[in-house]
Amino acid sequence: MTGTSTVLRVVAFVAALLAVGAAALGVGRAVGPVDGVPLASEAGAEPDHGHDADASGDSPADGAADGAADKPVDVPGLTARADGFTLELADPTLPAGPATLELTIRTSSGRPLLDYDVAHEKELHLIVVRRDLVGFQHVHPVLDRRTGTWSVEVDLTPGTWRVIADFVPEGWQQVTLAEDLAVSGRFQPAPPGQERLTDVVDGYRVTLAGDTAPGAPTELTARIERDGVGVRDLQPYLGAYGHLVALRAGDLGYLHVHPEGQVGTAGEGGGPEIRFATEFPTAGTYRLFLDFRVGNTVHTADFTVTADGAPADSGTSDETGSPDEHQEDSHDH
């Protein structure tokens, strides 16, 4: 009897432990993710509860409350899922050459997001660039509101490409998501190369200067010249005289860069300098792409910046770079 009683006491003790564990897990599920990662709304992505749900039946607030437990990142554009939203490519592979790229932004319930706030005159800005930072394209897809699918024409070379979607869900803050896209064919990688702060594109010479110390807010200045003379007839493009996109080499972290100042009144041109506010979060190599508009044509210059605390000095840079580091053709934005 003594042995039987001991066994019964052990069984009862184990059963009690299991019950306590199950209760604790139930509490964890009731108050949030078991792993303790905060929801998007708890991590600073506060929704505007004054907005109605989108046409799909979800509001951004509903999407975050569904249980999106997204890990924070030091810069945007490192993940396809963040803040309760997911970037989904219709096809993760495309052929080389001209092709139609299709994608959907989904809430955490899986429904397409249909309602966006306009930022820089567009509801969604799409950056498409090969992972070795070649072939940069800044395009603006068209939304099919019946399906929630965005589509746009792109021109791709063989390799792995990064598709970066920059948008503002209605009533929310800016969200940046990214996903890889595979393009078949023989791949010839192009290394980032040394720092290069001067580019010549379509006859325009563009130089970049500013403090590149990592971890601190900074201002970068791009100066545009033609035939040695500063260009003073820049035209507004997407609500500004220029747009600068910065990508960190390696993981292609996406930096938010904001143009400083206001565009002139009708008939006034901008230039020759454009100023941008940004911050390099870590030391390393970054590729910067500047879109500017002159004569109703958008031109794109690119630069390679080393963020190590030393001021950018365009006078010591390589003015031409290698052919692979330049965008030879202007894209229709």
Side-chain angles (χ1 to χ4, degrees):
M1 289 294 295
T2 301
T4 302
S5 299
T6 301
V7 171
L8 291 176
R9 286 196 297 270
V10 170
V11 170
F13 178 71
V14 172
L17 287 178
L18 291 175
V20 170
L25 181 58
V27 171
R29 286 175 177 164
V31 301
V34 176
D35 59 10
V37 180
L39 301 180
S41 59
E42 298 171 341
E46 294 295 339
D48 181 353
H49 296 287
H51 287 268
D52 296 328
D54 63 24
S56 67
D58 288 323
S59 68
D62 294 336
D66 282 342
D70 303 305
K71 296 181 179 180
V73 293
D74 60 344
V75 294
L78 298 182
T79 175
R81 181 174 182 265
D83 296 325
F85 302 96
T86 301
L87 167 62
E88 179 182 283
L89 299 181
D91 191 339
T93 63
L94 283 179
T100 300
L101 174 61
E102 296 182 335
L103 60 96
T104 302
I105 305 297
R106 297 190 183 277
T107 66
S108 59
S109 64
R111 297 192 177 103
L113 177 68
L114 299 180
D115 291 331
Y116 299 78
D117 285 339
V118 173
H120 295 295
E121 301 184 351
K122 299 292 182 180
E123 289 187 330
L124 188 142
H125 296 262
L126 197 70
I127 304 301
V128 185
V129 63
R130 212 168 65 184
R131 269 202 166 270
D132 56 354
L133 298 171
V134 168
F136 173 87
Q137 297 166 60
H138 177 180
V139 293
H140 302 102
V142 175
L143 176 63
D144 183 345
R145 300 192 65 84
R146 297 171 303 170
T147 63
T149 299
W150 294 88
S151 60
V152 67
E153 297 301 310
V154 292
D155 193 355
L156 309 175
T157 56
T160 300
W161 289 72
R162 195 68 169 162
V163 178
I164 304 172
D166 190 348
F167 60 96
V168 181
E170 185 181 36
W172 271 52
Q173 63 184 12
Q174 187 174 11
V175 177
T176 305
L177 305 176
E179 183 63 284
D180 279 349
L181 173 69
V183 178
S184 59
R186 185 176 179 181
F187 171 54
Q188 296 291 339
Q194 298 180 345
E195 184 170 76
R196 183 174 55 81
L197 302 171
T198 300
D199 193 14
V200 177
V201 54
D202 303 327
Y204 295 94
R205 177 187 173 92
V206 189
T207 57
L208 188 71
D211 188 0
T212 61
T218 188
E219 182 179 88
L220 301 176
T221 300
R223 179 177 175 84
I224 303 173
E225 298 179 347
R226 188 177 183 90
D227 300 327
V229 179
V231 173
R232 298 183 179 274
D233 58 348
L234 296 178
Q235 298 171 308
Y237 173 58
L238 300 176
Y241 283 126
H243 283 269
L244 189 66
V245 171
L247 300 171
R248 185 168 59 188
D251 60 10
L252 271 63
Y254 176 90
L255 307 188
H256 289 157
V257 185
H258 305 282
E260 299 281 271
Q262 302 291 328
V263 297
T265 58
E268 292 184 353
E273 294 183 343
I274 316 171
R275 291 179 171 82
F276 301 91
T278 189
E279 178 178 334
F280 297 97
T282 61
T285 300
Y286 295 79
R287 180 67 56 81
L288 280 64
F289 301 89
L290 171 66
D291 290 332
F292 62 97
R293 187 174 180 227
V294 184
N296 298 321
T297 301
V298 176
H299 310 274
T300 304
D302 70 83
F303 315 91
T304 301
V305 172
T306 301
D308 58 5
D313 182 3
S314 59
T316 61
S317 65
D318 175 7
E319 298 178 1
T320 58
S322 65
D324 284 340
E325 291 177 329
H326 292 261
Q327 178 173 311
E328 298 176 358
D329 300 320
S330 297
H331 295 278
D332 181 7
H333 299 253

